[in-house]
Amino acid sequence: ADFNRLPQKGAALIPLYRRVMDRMEELPGVQTASVVEIPPLLGWDFGGQFVSLDDVRRAQPVRANINSIGKHYFSTVGTSLIAGRDLRNDDADVNSCILNQAAAQLYFPHTSALGKALRQVPWRMSDSQAPHDCQVVGIAQDTKYDTLAESYPPIVYLPLSAQTGRLTGLFFVVHARNQSAADKAYGTAIHEVAPAAPEVEPVL
């Protein structure tokens, strides 16, 4: 959906995304629904540099891909959670994150990543962005990110927040009985929750 025309801006859009997800899951034929900043294999690449908070004084930050997601993203796209829990669609989870197996091994090679803290460091010291710490609440199965040709990259999954890029144009993902049920649920939820938003044709 294109939320550019809505009066809500920035973080005020997050409750709308949560309501659309919840509404879709209530509709016939839908098992799970979620939202994601960068769908798998879209060909976009977005990353940040991270370091284990335990190693912040002695280790250099290392790049990983970043993706912002809603709850049930992994079950919707068929990716397993290896350990821990899913993200929740609430503000209490704003400082949580999920790592894929490659990221967990990259940042915590000698210990379990669950419960550990990871710091996202600005690319340049002059950046206005402050370092952001998140607690690792889950480990997800490795997946491709950009292309099928790549090896499994490290990915840090973050909850929706004011820092999420493209908040006016995130992607909904739906796991439904069939395409017709998914299309109907998407259209119904958008029209009920955000009727002023121009509907964008689904990507199959």
Side-chain angles (χ1 to χ4, degrees):
D2 181 358
F3 282 1
N4 277 297
R5 297 187 193 177
L6 297 178
Q8 296 90 340
K9 303 299 177 187
L13 291 168
I14 294 173
L16 291 182
Y17 281 110
R18 293 171 178 167
R19 286 164 55 199
V20 172
M21 285 183 270
D22 289 341
R23 183 64 181 120
M24 282 196 290
E25 290 190 332
E26 295 171 350
L27 293 168
V30 175
Q31 281 78 52
T32 55
S34 190
V35 69
V36 61
E37 184 176 7
I38 303 175
L41 308 181
L42 187 65
W44 295 355
D45 186 271
F46 178 62
Q49 53 180 5
F50 297 86
V51 63
S52 163
L53 200 57
D54 291 343
D55 295 333
V56 72
R57 295 185 181 277
R58 58 181 181 272
Q60 290 295 314
V62 179
R63 186 190 185 281
N65 289 319
I66 295 175
N67 213 350
S68 294
I69 60 172
K71 72 175 181 180
H72 298 166
Y73 170 75
F74 298 107
S75 56
T76 301
V77 299
T79 299
S80 298
L81 273 176
I82 305 299
R85 66 166 176 87
D86 196 0
L87 294 174
R88 300 185 294 259
N89 282 345
D90 61 48
D91 292 338
D93 232 12
V94 68
N95 293 321
S96 299
C97 57
I98 291 176
L99 309 184
N100 72 341
Q101 294 165 288
Q105 178 63 30
L106 176 64
Y107 296 115
F108 303 97
H110 305 300
T111 186
S112 171
L114 276 180
K116 296 290 188 178
L118 192 65
R119 171 163 291 178
Q120 183 177 359
V121 181
W123 287 108
R124 295 173 298 276
M125 293 302 294
S126 59
D127 283 354
S128 59
Q129 176 192 8
H132 174 249
D133 298 342
C134 64
Q135 183 181 38
V136 180
V137 298
I139 308 296
Q141 177 185 14
D142 281 337
T143 60
K144 304 292 186 176
Y145 183 92
D146 190 8
T147 70
L148 286 173
E150 68 186 348
S151 56
Y152 291 126
I155 306 174
V156 178
Y157 295 96
L158 301 172
L160 303 187
S161 74
Q163 283 69 51
T164 299
R166 300 187 66 258
L167 267 175
T168 55
L170 302 182
F171 292 84
F172 290 104
V173 289
V174 186
H175 179 204
R177 180 177 60 241
N178 52 45
Q179 187 64 47
S180 176
D183 291 346
K184 186 173 181 179
Y186 168 74
T188 297
I190 289 294
H191 287 303
E192 288 181 1
V193 176
E199 189 174 323
V200 177
E201 285 297 315
V203 179
L204 304 181

